[in-house]
């Protein structure tokens, strides 16, 4: 079996930014309207008023300060409160594919590769804008890549699961090099009218080139030491949007269950030990002591969650820089978060340094990729 390396990464970041203050102003305006419309029921004790949000609450709950989005006007309009993205004809490039092209070109450039060097495309993301044809095949066509492509969805773990699939195919000789892209339009499946989660998500796309390690001399490449995936079924993070909704009376209406929802406290208590255990066991099975890990690039969902996982894995509070967070700028970008952190915070590592890329989320699912810098 061939050794596989990550030889290039790329990040597409939307230009538009929504700050916590902007988000709170919109949410509170909507809450006031709701409370005014339901004033009699609230006074009679038949319903609870919608509480205000605040920037302080958001930062304390998540560590998030800003988020990048594809559309800002709709999100910040109390009459709409969701992104407004113009419909595209079937002859136009899809939104996810357009995002992926930008990130893919950056990753290819860093790897020193062209589309002719790539044999496959995996589009791994938490939500896809259509069921078929596959977004990955659209990206493949747009880039002019020969070979094959497919979509996969393991929610927030999609990127690391995609890397694991690419690694195995390359190691076994099914492909020379594979492009893994993670276009995440999280703003479109977030309920911006839910105080408990209205601040969580942002939009972004990441891409990574994986190829045989002996075929590349790209600067900054990372050899993949080992990959591991784990899933445990849970309903605590869920989105029920799908084609079966039209088969059930009333399900074509605007329904809360068709958007992102979670039992946040349960997720925190259950996912932290699951992920920490996964990483610790993964390291142990590769005879790597935790104190040899120079960097943890964790899923960017919640700062407190990452801090606790890092402490459990390392056996101490991580030093500044050992576990970089990009939450404050990007918010939660689902599968792309750990790849943004990896892309932005690896240049300072020296050849031989070890690190772990780990993402986790709905499923529950978690993927761990141990890497070693080689050049």
């Amino acid at each position: 079996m061939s050794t596989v390396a990550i030889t290039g990464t790329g990040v597409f970041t939307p230009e538009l930014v929504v700050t916590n203050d902007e988000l709170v102003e919109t949410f509170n305006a909507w809450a006031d309207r709701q409370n005014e419309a339901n004033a009699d029921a609230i006074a009679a004790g038949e319903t609870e008023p919608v509480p205000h949000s605040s920037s302080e609450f958001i930062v304390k709950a998540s560590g998030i300060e800003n988020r990048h989005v594809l559309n800002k006007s709709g999100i910040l309009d109390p009459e709409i409160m969701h992104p407004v993205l113009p419909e595209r004809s079937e002859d136009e490039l899809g939104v996810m594919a357009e995002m992926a092209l930008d990130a893919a070109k950056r990753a290819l450039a860093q790897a020193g590769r062209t589309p002719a060097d790539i044999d496959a495309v995996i589009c791994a993301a938490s939500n896809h804008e259509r069921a078929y044809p596959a977004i990955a095949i659209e990206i493949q066509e747009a880039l002019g890549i020969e070979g094959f492509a497919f979509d996969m969805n393991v929610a927030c773990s999609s990127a690391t699961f995609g890397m694991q699939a690419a690694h195995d195919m390359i190691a076994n000789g099914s492909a020379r090099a594979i492009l893994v892209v993670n276009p995440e339009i999280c703003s479109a499946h977030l309920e911006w009218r839910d105080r408990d989660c209205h601040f969580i998500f942002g939009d972004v796309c990441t891409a990574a080139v994986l190829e045989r390690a002996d075929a590349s001399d790209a600067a900054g490449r990372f050899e993949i030491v080992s990959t591991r995936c784990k899933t445990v079924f849970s309903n605590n993070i869920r989105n029920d949007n799908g084609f079966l909704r039209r088969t059930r009376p009333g399900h074509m209406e605007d329904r809360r269950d068709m958007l992102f929802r979670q039992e946040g406290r349960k997720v925190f208590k259950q996912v932290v030990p699951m992920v920490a255990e996964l990483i610790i066991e993964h390291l142990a099975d590769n005879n790597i002591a935790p104190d040899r890990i120079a960097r943890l690039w964790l899923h960017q969902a919640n700062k407190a969650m990452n801090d606790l996982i890092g402490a459990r894995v390392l056996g101490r509070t991580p030093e500044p820089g050992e576990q970089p967070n990009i939450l404050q700028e990007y918010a939660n970008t689902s599968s792309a978060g750990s790849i943004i952190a990896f892309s932005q915070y690896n240049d300072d590592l020296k050849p031989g340094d070890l690190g772990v890329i780990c993402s986790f989320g709905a499923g529950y699912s978690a993927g761990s990729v141990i890497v070693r810098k080689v050049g």
Side-chain angles (χ1 to χ4, degrees), residues 97 121 123 128 130-140 149-152:
V121 177
C123 180
H128 295 263
R130 62 173 182 270
Y132 43 78
I135 310 299
I137 301 177
E138 184 180 15
I139 297 165
Q140 175 195 8
F150 61 89
D151 293 346
M152 63 183 299

Side-chain angles (χ1 to χ4, degrees), residues 25 119 128 137 150 185 194 209 227 244 256 281 308 310 337:
E25 181 180 0
D119 291 333
H128 295 263
I137 301 177
F150 61 89
I185 312 177
D194 186 330
V209 174
T227 64
L244 286 180
R256 179 67 184 89
E281 291 182 353
L308 187 51

Side-chain angles (χ1 to χ4, degrees), residues 250-315:
H251 275 240
M252 293 304 288
E253 301 169 4
D254 179 18
R255 293 174 54 94
R256 179 67 184 89
D257 59 335
M258 298 304 169
L259 299 170
F260 167 85
R261 54 194 171 93
Q262 70 169 353
E263 296 289 339
R265 292 177 179 81
K266 291 182 180 179
V267 171
F268 192 104
K269 292 180 180 179
Q270 295 168 2
V271 169
V272 165
M274 171 184 162
V275 173
E277 180 181 340
L278 171 68
I279 297 174
I280 292 169
E281 291 182 353
H282 193 193
L283 292 173
D285 289 346
N286 284 274
N287 298 312
I288 299 173
D291 62 7
R292 291 179 58 197
I293 296 301
R295 189 76 32 96
L296 288 171
W297 299 283
L298 300 180
H299 172 50
Q300 303 292 309
N302 180 286
K303 184 180 183 300
M305 181 178 283
N306 281 6
D307 289 346
L308 187 51
I309 291 171
R312 291 192 179 188
V313 170
L314 299 178

Side-chain angles (χ1 to χ4, degrees), residues 16-18 22-23 26 69-86 187 192:
L16 299 175
V17 175
V18 175
E22 289 177 308
L23 203 59
T26 301
V69 294
L70 293 178
N71 173 263
K72 182 174 179 175
S73 59
I75 293 170
L76 297 181
D77 185 341
E79 297 284 350
I80 302 175
M81 294 184 74
H82 61 72
V84 177
L85 304 176
S187 64
W192 298 91

